[in-house]
Amino acid sequence: MAKEIVLALGGGGLRGIAHLGVLRCLEENNYAVKGIAGTSVGGMIGALYASGASLKEIDSIVDQFILKPNFDRRPGDGASLLGNTLIEKLLQEFFQDRLIEDFPIKFVATAVNLDTEREVVLSSGKAVDAALATIAVPGLFPARKTEKGLLIDGGVLDPIPVGLARQLDPGLPVVAVSLYKKNPQEMSGQTTFPFGSLVPRPISQRFAHNRYYEALSILSRSVDLMLDRMADANLLLDKPDIIVTPMVGHYHLLDHMVPTDLRERGYVAMERQLDQLEKSLDFVKTLLRVAKYVDDSKELEPTVKPLPTSQE
């Protein structure tokens, strides 16, 4: 009988391919995912898996994109440096008109409503719309216009949605996957060139020391550092049962990716935590989770609360 867990999948651009290695390791070790909460790329990968797709099918979608990445904009796109025309095409072909509430695995994605400046929980409606909203990295990809408002990447407020994952099934252990950790040895001497996948490598190497690209590099590294620390702080507060940290932080959000390497790093990181995960399924720990987290409310609530106003 398969052992049941829930997942909290964090953001990190194309580094999210590492999530697939985590999922493969869980499958091969007889774990069944009963719920997924994801943000940004974790929301997109999570939606694909929760829909019932096999890892082979998801790998095929990812490889199609990596083989010839395309970030063309469309005339109607809002203000953004890049477009997600190809991503949308691949997702639309896969999901068609499928609804999140019809998925065999419980699933939620997060986004941020720019109009209200609050976290939005996407737990129903068209899967393709949720996936495109949760990956709308501000400034890079177009914000998603919906009936809920103008939505952007949920990682802006919560890089790894542990709280929402726990709401999906409070009795099960939460496995949280963070994609921001890096091996200092792999960073040594590395030329930092954000969005490297958009430019042939010989050109990127030639212009990497141009002052404008250096400015972009500093910005990219600073955002990564901020998200890494923010993710760490949230994990300390939310206390998932297991934290999985594939060493993929040396890749930039839209860098030249090696899918096999990312999948392998995800697999190895999950494999290292299998003993701890097994212990988290202990009967006493399960009872403690139920006692602490079970709530009579059936409504999924945002876990990032708005700041109080001066009048409150």
Side-chain angles (χ1 to χ4, degrees), residues 167-184:
Q167 289 181 49
L168 292 174
D169 196 323
L172 297 181
V174 175
V175 177
V177 185
S178 174
L179 302 176
Y180 298 105
K181 296 303 175 188
K182 52 180 73 76
N183 185 338

Side-chain angles (χ1 to χ4, degrees), residues 106-169:
K106 293 179 186 177
F107 173 74
V108 293
T110 69
V112 173
N113 187 325
L114 273 181
D115 300 323
T116 63
E117 300 182 353
R118 297 189 180 188
E119 184 181 40
V120 175
V121 179
L122 304 171
S123 58
S124 62
K126 287 188 177 181
V128 67
D129 290 337
L132 291 171
T134 196
I135 65 169
V137 180
L140 287 183
F141 294 128
R144 193 76 177 170
K145 293 180 181 178
T146 73
E147 58 183 20
K148 295 177 182 287
L150 194 61
L151 303 185
I152 59 170
D153 191 321
V156 168
L157 288 181
D158 188 0
I160 309 169
V162 173
L164 279 171
R166 203 178 294 284
Q167 289 181 49
L168 292 174
D169 196 323

Side-chain angles (χ1 to χ4, degrees), residues 22-140:
V22 172
L23 288 164
R24 185 172 300 283
C25 182
L26 289 168
E27 282 190 359
E28 291 182 1
N29 287 276
N30 199 34
Y31 284 93
V33 177
K34 303 303 289 184
I36 301 175
T39 195
S40 197
V41 69
M44 184 177 71
I45 295 291
L48 290 167
Y49 192 77
S51 73
S54 68
L55 288 176
K56 184 177 180 180
E57 289 175 303
I58 302 174
D59 284 343
S60 175
I61 294 171
V62 168
D63 291 343
Q64 283 182 68
F65 180 82
I66 295 297
L67 185 63
K68 194 173 182 181
N70 186 320
F71 295 100
D72 287 346
R73 287 170 42 81
R74 291 180 300 193
D77 283 343
S80 63
L81 292 174
L82 309 173
N84 52 19
T85 306
L86 178 57
I87 298 173
E88 182 171 356
K89 175 178 178 290
L90 292 172
L91 291 175
Q92 187 65 62
E93 288 175 353
F94 179 81
F95 285 123
Q96 300 294 323
D97 291 325
R98 291 193 64 186
L99 304 177
I100 292 173
E101 54 266 41
D102 295 335
F103 284 178
I105 296 174
K106 293 179 186 177
F107 173 74
V108 293
T110 69
V112 173
N113 187 325
L114 273 181
D115 300 323
T116 63
E117 300 182 353
R118 297 189 180 188
E119 184 181 40
V120 175
V121 179
L122 304 171
S123 58
S124 62
K126 287 188 177 181
V128 67
D129 290 337
L132 291 171
T134 196
I135 65 169
V137 180
L140 287 183

Side-chain angles (χ1 to χ4, degrees), residues 181-222:
K181 296 303 175 188
K182 52 180 73 76
N183 185 338
Q185 293 179 338
E186 291 180 292
M187 296 298 292
S188 178
Q190 183 189 40
T191 300
T192 304
F193 191 84
F195 322 134
S197 63
L198 308 180
V199 182
R201 188 167 290 276
I203 296 176
S204 71
Q205 294 295 326
R206 181 177 178 182
F207 289 100
H209 297 293
N210 175 283
R211 63 188 176 120
Y212 295 109
Y213 287 120
E214 286 185 356
L216 278 176
S217 168
I218 291 170
L219 175 61
S220 174
R221 291 166 64 188
S222 300

